[in-house]
Amino acid sequence: KMALFRSLVQSGRSVVSVTLRREFHRTSPASLQVTVRDALNQAMDEELERDERVFLLGEEVAQYDGAYKVSRGLWKKYGDKRIIDTPITEMGFAGIAVGAAMAGLRPICEFMTFNFSMQAIDQVINSAAKTYYMSSGIQPVSIVFRGPNGAAAGVAAQHSQCFAAWYGHCPGLKVLSPWNAEDAKGLLKSAIRDDNPVVFLENEMMYSVPFEMSEEAQSKDFLIPIGKAKIERQGSNVTLVSHSRYVGHCLEAAAVLAKEGIECEVINLRSIRPLDMETVENSVKKTSHLVTVEGGWPQFGVGAEVCARIMEGPAFNYLDAPASRVTGVDIPMPYAKILEDHSVPQIKDIIFAVKKTLNV
């Protein structure tokens, strides 16, 4: 009898524990791990569902699910009218997209990489960026140009440049450069809803990287305002300003420097045009030191613009040392792996620049 009683109690316990386990797994987690690729996919899916004027076109975006699988599943869900495979002619399909935007649709024009956007740069700059101004505000061009930007790995000179400064130079465009999954989702949704042409610079090396996505960011109403930088890490000794992939490098450098008693404030620009100089200035007033970090070339780059604006603005008088830049090397990207590594900023380069600026 005792043996039977024990077995009944134990089986009861196991039922209770299984029930509890099931209940535990059923509750939705506060934050999820989401890759940048999936965040971009979610953003497009939600906006395609929300607004029937939104459509996606580009090379391999439909039946192949995208060259980098960013548009995975969208063609199956929305069909040929909304997800359109184009021939390999950037000038042609960018022109079709701009014309569609002028007619009142909201195209997302994907370049397989932004290096190929040079084939279509006349459409982006002359047709999309200038029309609203030239029409005295009568003709908006609501379009998003998106795709991977900057150096990837082993793709050499013609497939490795960063276009943040190229497009950031041009009035009439908005230029966004997300780093993590929340940036990618919130900024892409804002870009699609914006009435201006937006250049949306992703990074191939970030697509598969998972990030925590908060409960708020999982909502279909989650938007990140265009033109607002984010302080990713608070610090008091030096301000690090970066965008895209190199925000992660800055955070890793900051973690190393913190062990040596140097506290870095890391700013993720997110938006290249408009540039949130208020956030940068307030940080520089606090830290009195500035280092900019980017993967693009040094001459007339994003860092050069940030440094110039600091010099012209109220924060200049707070600097205790000259601002310094960490950039890609001023050469076409080499193919050899070891040379490629020396051509883009590494964490050690950021640490060296910080120590040099602080004179330690």
Side-chain angles (χ1 to χ4, degrees):
K1 277 183 185 168
M2 278 306 286
L4 180 65
F5 177 71
R6 270 200 205 104
S7 71
L8 281 170
V9 168
Q10 279 170 345
S11 66
R13 270 189 198 144
S14 67
V15 167
V16 169
S17 69
V18 166
T19 310
L20 285 172
R21 272 208 303 278
R22 277 190 190 145
E23 286 304 315
F24 177 74
H25 285 303
R26 208 178 287 152
T27 60
S28 62
S31 64
L32 283 175
Q33 288 273 318
V34 178
T35 64
V36 172
R37 175 186 289 107
D38 289 342
L40 293 164
N41 183 283
Q42 269 177 39
M44 289 194 289
D45 188 9
E46 288 170 13
E47 294 306 304
L48 282 156
E49 193 170 49
R50 177 182 170 271
D51 185 345
E52 62 184 19
R53 295 171 299 169
V54 176
F55 70 99
L56 171 69
L57 81 168
E59 294 151 1
E60 310 280 20
V61 298
Q63 295 185 40
Y64 189 66
D65 277 343
Y68 298 97
K69 305 301 175 214
V70 174
S71 53
R72 184 186 283 133
L74 297 181
W75 176 66
K76 282 199 177 82
K77 184 171 176 181
Y78 297 101
D80 289 325
K81 277 210 168 129
R82 308 277 305 277
I83 314 295
I84 303 167
D85 276 333
T86 65
I88 302 171
T89 165
E90 280 76 14
M91 176 58 104
F93 70 73
I96 288 169
V98 171
M102 288 177 176
L105 298 176
R106 304 186 89 90
I108 305 165
C109 175
E110 177 179 311
F111 295 120
M112 195 179 284
T113 88
F114 259 94
N115 303 281
F116 307 141
S117 75
M118 282 194 290
Q119 303 281 344
I121 203 160
D122 183 58
Q123 303 287 14
V124 178
I125 305 294
N126 280 327
S127 302
K130 297 176 183 175
T131 298
Y132 188 63
Y133 174 81
M134 291 174 74
S135 67
S136 298
I138 293 167
Q139 179 63 68
V141 185
S142 311
I143 185 169
V144 178
F145 300 101
R146 54 155 291 273
N149 167 67
V155 289
Q158 292 173 327
H159 295 81
S160 295
Q161 59 254 29
C162 174
F163 286 87
W166 295 57
Y167 289 117
H169 186 60
C170 180
L173 290 176
K174 293 186 178 181
V175 182
L176 305 178
S177 181
W179 166 56
N180 64 14
E182 283 196 11
D183 289 351
K185 184 179 178 184
L187 288 171
L188 184 53
K189 284 168 73 74
S190 291
I192 293 166
R193 295 186 194 189
D194 200 283
D195 289 334
N196 300 280
V198 181
V199 171
F200 195 87
L201 304 169
E202 299 154 17
N203 188 290
E204 183 191 330
M205 307 296 279
M206 298 304 297
Y207 281 151
S208 299
V209 181
F211 288 93
E212 287 279 313
M213 191 181 266
S214 66
E215 206 165 2
E216 180 197 4
Q218 292 165 44
S219 154
K220 288 188 177 180
D221 301 317
F222 177 68
L223 299 170
I224 290 173
I226 291 171
K228 197 82 197 84
K230 184 185 177 193
I231 297 170
E232 298 286 353
R233 180 189 174 115
Q234 297 280 349
S236 53
N237 299 127
V238 60
T239 299
L240 294 175
V241 177
S242 189
H243 69 97
S244 189
R245 183 182 173 211
Y246 293 96
V247 174
H249 284 47
C250 287
L251 289 169
E252 287 186 49
V256 173
L257 288 160
K259 291 174 183 163
E260 299 177 38
I262 298 167
E263 290 299 331
C264 303
E265 183 141 297
V266 178
I267 296 177
N268 171 10
L269 283 175
R270 300 202 289 204
S271 178
I272 305 298
R273 184 181 187 104
L275 202 53
D276 181 7
M277 282 310 296
E278 189 184 347
T279 297
V280 179
E281 283 173 350
N282 289 339
S283 178
V284 169
K285 285 177 185 177
K286 180 172 77 171
T287 66
S288 302
H289 298 88
L290 172 66
V291 176
T292 66
V293 183
E294 66 189 302
W297 293 313
Q299 198 155 315
F300 313 112
V302 175
E305 178 65 19
V306 170
C307 292
R309 296 258 202 115
I310 287 293
M311 193 182 75
E312 292 166 350
F316 177 71
N317 295 319
Y318 291 80
L319 282 175
D320 288 343
S324 90
R325 292 180 292 159
V326 178
T327 68
V329 177
D330 200 17
I331 54 165
M333 179 65 76
Y335 174 69
K337 175 83 174 82
I338 190 160
L339 295 177
E340 183 182 74
D341 289 343
H342 281 89
S343 301
V344 292
Q346 304 294 335
I347 293 160
K348 62 179 173 50
D349 302 322
I350 301 168
I351 293 168
F352 178 79
V354 167
K355 289 184 171 179
K356 187 178 170 191
T357 302
L358 293 171
N359 200 22
V360 295

